[in-house]
Amino acid sequence: GLTWNNANWGADGVMEPRQGGLTAKGREFVAECNRLGILLDASHLSERSFWDVVDASGRPIIASHSNSREICNHPRNLSDDQIRALIAVDGLIGVTFVPQFVREGGRADMNDVLRHVERICGLGGGKQLVFGSDFDGIDTHVAGLSNPGELVNLKETLLKQYNAEQVQDFFAENALRFLTKHLPA
């Protein structure tokens, strides 16, 4: 990632009041990451920084732990246009389990997570969708999804809407396919 929620020498983060984009040094950083085969994560970028990275990068980018802003209007979530852009560049979108990113007010359950999955898949992102739990970065949790041992609850919920192959794609295959294709040998 180029930055966390705030601004630094390379880019503005999503919580930076001015909502700027990449700096000249940030553009150099993107070019150097591309040259070295380093993948870029857009999850904490301001929207302008996100678009600057999409424009500046010649390689796919990821949003490792972001959800759909259409489902939950939180600044860390992605607009439909941003999701479509990640799909268009063969990026990845890691649905996160941070309750306030899942449901406004933060009292989220498994069905709320499912709504984000459905939105991303509905935009054509079934092969770009993975999970970016953020278990290690939160102290409140989606009901029934408080640790990796409870991922089976999410799997059971998903299997009510998606076939086993799709669910396996979300849990592992999409990420493995992406990494195999886009990391240096």
Side-chain angles (χ1 to χ4, degrees), residues 4 71 97 131 143 151 178:
W4 189 62
I71 301 299
F97 311 144
F131 295 111
L151 285 169
F178 177 86

Side-chain angles (χ1 to χ4, degrees), residues 147-175:
N147 64 68
E150 292 186 339
L151 285 169
V152 66
N153 299 333
L154 178 59
K155 185 175 183 179
E156 290 170 1
T157 299
L158 291 167
L159 285 169
K160 294 175 186 173
Q161 299 281 82
Y162 298 93
N163 66 47
E165 182 180 339
Q166 290 170 304
V167 172
Q168 183 62 23
D169 283 350
F170 303 156
F171 273 94
E173 296 304 318
N174 288 345

Side-chain angles (χ1 to χ4, degrees), residues 26 35 46 57 72 89 96 149 163:
R35 187 184 74 74
S46 69
S57 181
C72 179
V89 299
T96 188
N163 66 47

Side-chain angles (χ1 to χ4, degrees), residues 2-153:
L2 285 123
T3 188
W4 189 62
N5 287 338
N6 304 310
N8 66 12
W9 57 267
D12 274 11
V14 70
M15 302 310 276
E16 178 63 36
R18 70 180 169 200
Q19 290 295 293
L22 289 179
T23 65
K25 287 287 184 194
R27 290 182 186 281
E28 288 177 29
F29 181 78
V30 169
E32 185 66 3
C33 286
N34 280 193
R35 187 184 74 74
L36 295 171
I38 296 172
L39 299 171
L40 295 167
D41 186 351
S43 277
H44 285 275
L45 295 177
S46 69
E47 190 160 348
R48 183 167 167 206
S49 292
F50 173 94
W51 290 112
D52 285 353
V53 170
V54 169
D55 291 341
S57 181
R59 297 176 42 93
I61 63 172
I62 65 172
S64 64
H65 55 301
S66 297
N67 291 342
S68 166
R69 194 178 310 151
E70 184 69 26
I71 301 299
C72 179
N73 188 20
H74 190 282
R76 278 273 286 101
N77 287 340
L78 302 169
S79 70
D80 284 354
D81 286 341
Q82 289 174 296
I83 293 169
R84 286 187 195 101
L86 287 169
I87 294 165
V89 299
D90 192 31
L92 285 181
I93 306 156
V95 170
T96 188
F97 311 144
V98 178
Q100 59 268 38
F101 299 175
V102 175
R103 182 176 177 173
E104 290 179 41
R107 294 182 51 89
D109 62 27
M110 213 68 64
N111 289 320
D112 295 313
V113 174
L114 180 62
R115 292 174 59 218
H116 291 276
V117 171
E118 290 171 340
R119 184 69 183 191
I120 293 166
C121 287
L123 293 169
K127 292 296 185 184
Q128 281 71 38
L129 193 141
V130 296
F131 295 111
S133 67
D134 212 9
F135 283 132
D136 65 337
I138 56 176
D139 52 13
T140 60
H141 302 93
V142 170
L145 204 52
S146 64
N147 64 68
E150 292 186 339
L151 285 169
V152 66
N153 299 333

